[in-house]
Amino acid sequence: MYSKIVAINDAWVEPGMDHQVLDANSRYYGGVIDDENGIAWPNHSVGTPAAMAIWTAALVNPDSVFYRNKDVLTRLELAAQYMLRVQHEDGSISPGWTNFHSPPDTAFVVVGYAQVYQLLVGDNWLELSQVTDAMRLFLERTIPVMLTGGCHTPNHRWVLCAALGFLHELFDLPEALARAEAWLAEGLDGTPDGEWTERSNGIYNAVSDIMLIHAARLLKHPELLEPVRRNLHMMVYLVHPDGEVVTEYSGRQDFGVKLNLSSYLLPYAMLATEDKDAIFEAMADAAIQVMDHPGGAPINAAVRFLLDPRLQTREVAPAPLPVSYNKLLNGDFPREDYLSRMDEAGHHQQIYHSRLHTDFGAPVVRYRQQDTSVTLMTEVSSFLSLRHGDARLLAVQAASYFSPGFVPMQELTAHETGWTLSGHQAKGYYGPVAASDLPPTSQEEVSPWYLLPHHKRPLTHEQQHDIRIDVEREEDVWRLRFRSEGPADCMTQISFVFGREGRFTCGEYRQVNETVQCWTGGTARYESGNAWLELTGTAMEHTAASVRGAAHPVDCCTLLVNWMAPFDKTISIRMSPLPVSEA
C-alpha cells in the first residue's frame, strides 16, 4: 500500500509544476492553475495547497524519485509566497467559488497545511527553512478567523474542530480548544446506522470521518471515533460491484456523480491500524485499488503515511468483503419524532446559505447479489436504482402534475417478499387574511403581497395525493407495482433513467429528444456490455413529454411511461444471465 501511494504521489509532482504560474508579473505568480477554469486558487482540493502537499511528500521522502530535488523546492517556495499574498487581512482565503473570506474553506487549508508544515519541520534539511517560515506565518495568520469564524454546512463544524486542534498543537492555544469545544457542544449528527446529515457517500461522509479522526486525537476526545466507526461500517454496503460509491441519494453535489472509495483510504487505513479491524483493512485495500491521485491537501495519503509511519506497515490481514446482502439502513431511526420537534428550534424552517437537511436519517435499502446491485431510497427524486453487470438503470422516478415535479417517497418498509415505498403530498388553497391580522399597508395605496401575513390565511379545499410502490424480486425478475387513487385525472409520469453507454434493441417508442423517449408498447430491452434488462408492462395514457419541475438528465437514456390517476399497474424488469466469471 505504501509503495503504491508513493508512486501515485510522485506521478503528480510534475503535472503540478507544469500548472504553476511562473510569470512574476502575474497576480497568480507561484499559484497552481485549476484545469477547469484556468485560474490559480488557494483552495484545498484542486488548488495550490494540494500541489504543495504532493511536492512536500516527495521532497522529504527518501523513497521518492524527487527526494530533495532543488527544482521542487523552488516551486514549493514560490507557492508558499503565493499563499501569503492571497491570504486576506482577516486570515481567511477565498477558494474560488461561492464562498468568499470563508472560515470553513480556510479550515480545510489549515488541516492540510499544518500536516505539510509538520512534515517539513520534521526533516533535517536546512534548505527548507524559507518555506517552513512562510507556511508557519500563513498558519499563524489564520488564528483569528479560526477563533471567530462560522460555518454553513454540518460537516464544516468538524473541519473547524480539526483545524483548531492542529493550531493548538502548533501554537499552544487554549482558546482554540475552547472554540472547538463550543462546536462539539452542539452534539454529533450521525444515526446509529452511521449516516451523517448530508447523506453524501461520495464526498462529505469521508470529510466528517477524517476530520473527526484528527479531532479525536488533537482534542483528546476518543469518543469522537464512535460515529466514524459506524459510518465506515455502513459504507461497506454502499459500494457497487465495480467499486463505484452509491451516490444516488446524496444530499450534496455528489448526487448521481461517479465516485469511488479513494477519499476513504485514510479513514479506513487509520482506524484499521487503530482498531486492528480486518474489514476496515479490506476497505482500505479496496480504496487503494481505485486511487489514482494522492488526495487534496487535508487528505494527501503520502503526507499522512509519512507523518504516521505505523500506517506504512499493514499488520492486519484483510477480511473478505460481503458480496451478497439485503441491508436496511435507518429502518429504526425515529426520524418522524425528530421532525415533529423542529418547531421547537425556533428557526421556522428558514435557514440561510445552507439547508436544513430534513432528509437526514431517511431509510435506504442496499441489496446486492454478486454483480447485481440495487438501491431503494427515500426523500430524493428517484426511489430505485439497479446495476446488473454492465447494465445500469440509474434511477426510477415518479412525477406528477399534482404538485408539479418528482414525488419523493417518504416511507420505506421491508417485508418477507420485498419492500413497500410510499409518497404523500397535500396541497390546498388559502382564504383571505382576517381583518384583525392585516398590516397597515393593506389600507394604503399600494399593498405589497410580501407584506401580508400569509401564515395566518385559513386553509381551504386541501387535496391529497399518494403513490405507493411495491418492489418485489423473484429469481431474475424485479416487479414494480405502482398504485395511486388520485386525484382523478392527475397526469403521472414514470421515468426509467439508463446509462448513456447502452442502447435499446427492441420495443416501441416515440422520440422526445436525443436522450428521452416515450415507451409506447412492446418489450423494452436495454443492452450494455455483458448484460441486458427487459421491461414489460407499459401503457401510454397521455402524451405529455415532461412534467414541469421534473427535468430529465441530458447525459443518460430516459424512458418515459405516462399514466392517468387512478392507476394500479405493474412493470417488470427481467435481468439477463451474467457470465459465470463475472458473477
Side-chain angles (χ1 to χ4, degrees), residues 515-529:
T515 61
V516 180
Q517 52 193 349
C518 292
W519 176 25
T520 58
T523 296
R525 179 163 170 156
Y526 171 83
E527 297 184 3
S528 181

Side-chain angles (χ1 to χ4, degrees), residues 397-408 423 425 427 464-467 484 486-487 489-495 542 546-550 561 563-565 567:
Q397 304 163 307
S400 88
Y401 277 87
F402 178 82
S403 181
F406 294 116
V407 182
Q425 295 176 312
K427 184 173 69 171
Q464 310 291 323
H465 178 231
D466 294 278
I467 291 182
S484 177
D489 296 327
C490 178
M491 289 191 291
T492 302
Q493 186 170 78
I494 310 300
S495 54
H542 65 82
S546 64
V547 174
R548 177 165 51 91
V561 178
W563 295 328
M564 298 292 289
F567 54 80

Side-chain angles (χ1 to χ4, degrees), residues 51-69:
M52 292 175 71
I54 291 169
W55 295 339
T56 295
L59 198 59
V60 303
N61 185 3
D63 295 324
S64 168
V65 297
F66 296 97
Y67 179 59
R68 294 194 174 177
N69 182 291

